[in-house]
Amino acid sequence: MSEAREWLIQWLRDAHAMEEQAETMLNGQLSRIENYPELSDRIRLHLDETRQQAARLKICLDRMDEGSSTMKDAGGKLTAMAQSLSGIFAGDEVMKGSLASYTFEHMEIASYTILIAAAQSMGETEVARACDENLREEVAMAEWLKDHLPSTTEQFLARAETESDSAKR
């Protein structure tokens, strides 16, 4: 097996674990958001996209006669659970979650950009196509978050003035 192919497989496994982590993180956020219906709806949509993204990556690995990494997937889920639990204690949980989500989207964008370049250089057009589809969804989510950070912040601050307990969620 060529070294380039080994790197591509490793990066695909990393991306699969990243999507497993994202799914756990999004589920955690979604289970606690009570007072931000627009954000909740968008997270629910992206959660579905995230599951599809992980499935696309699994198909790519299976086509290459490789599998995802159970260890990396478990590590990603464990990290996401710890992140999710830490937000429970924050007085501004919705803001910390928005910040973490926006940051995570950009990590995913960088990952898919790398994967697309690697797949294209190796002639792995199906891998490149799947990663490009994932990339478009991640960019859309990052843009949505960026566009809605001001209104989420304003909603949080308004709630914090009158209903501090409900503001964080």
Side-chain angles (χ1 to χ4, degrees):
M1 178 181 328
S2 76
E3 189 170 346
R5 186 174 193 280
E6 287 179 30
W7 282 117
L8 179 61
I9 290 165
Q10 180 176 323
W11 294 339
L12 284 168
R13 287 178 175 154
D14 290 346
H16 187 270
M18 175 180 68
E19 294 304 344
E20 294 286 320
Q21 180 178 354
E23 181 179 353
T24 302
M25 186 176 75
L26 292 169
N27 270 322
Q29 283 182 308
L30 195 56
S31 71
R32 291 187 310 278
I33 293 177
E34 300 165 1
N35 298 301
Y36 299 84
E38 193 174 9
L39 179 60
S40 181
D41 289 345
R42 188 59 178 98
I43 289 173
R44 192 172 289 106
L45 173 66
H46 194 56
L47 183 56
D48 290 339
E49 291 173 340
T50 298
R51 289 179 181 128
Q52 293 169 6
Q53 291 166 2
R56 282 184 207 114
L57 294 169
K58 181 82 172 81
I59 289 168
C60 289
L61 285 163
D62 289 347
R63 269 196 210 120
M64 298 175 81
D65 292 326
E66 300 292 337
S68 60
S69 169
T70 304
M71 199 71 128
K72 286 182 182 186
D73 289 351
K77 286 182 178 186
L78 188 60
T79 300
M81 286 173 61
Q83 289 169 331
S84 184
L85 289 174
S86 70
I88 292 172
F89 304 108
D92 60 345
E93 181 179 5
V94 73
M95 299 312 304
K96 295 280 192 297
S98 295
L99 178 62
S101 293
Y102 186 70
T103 303
F104 199 84
E105 292 304 323
H106 281 82
M107 184 183 72
E108 290 176 305
I109 289 166
S111 179
Y112 287 120
T113 301
I114 290 166
L115 278 165
I116 291 164
Q120 288 174 339
S121 75
M122 296 178 59
E124 292 285 350
T125 56
E126 286 302 309
V127 172
R129 183 201 54 73
C131 291
D132 187 61
E133 191 170 350
N134 288 4
L135 175 62
R136 284 193 306 269
E137 292 169 353
E138 300 300 358
V139 167
M141 182 62 178
E143 285 297 311
W144 189 94
L145 287 166
K146 183 182 78 166
D147 292 345
H148 289 80
L149 282 172
S151 63
T152 302
T153 304
E154 290 167 8
Q155 289 174 43
F156 172 82
L157 292 173
R159 281 196 177 93
E161 287 292 320
T162 60
E163 328 160 26
S164 62
D165 287 341
S166 70
K168 74 181 235 178
R169 295 186 177 156

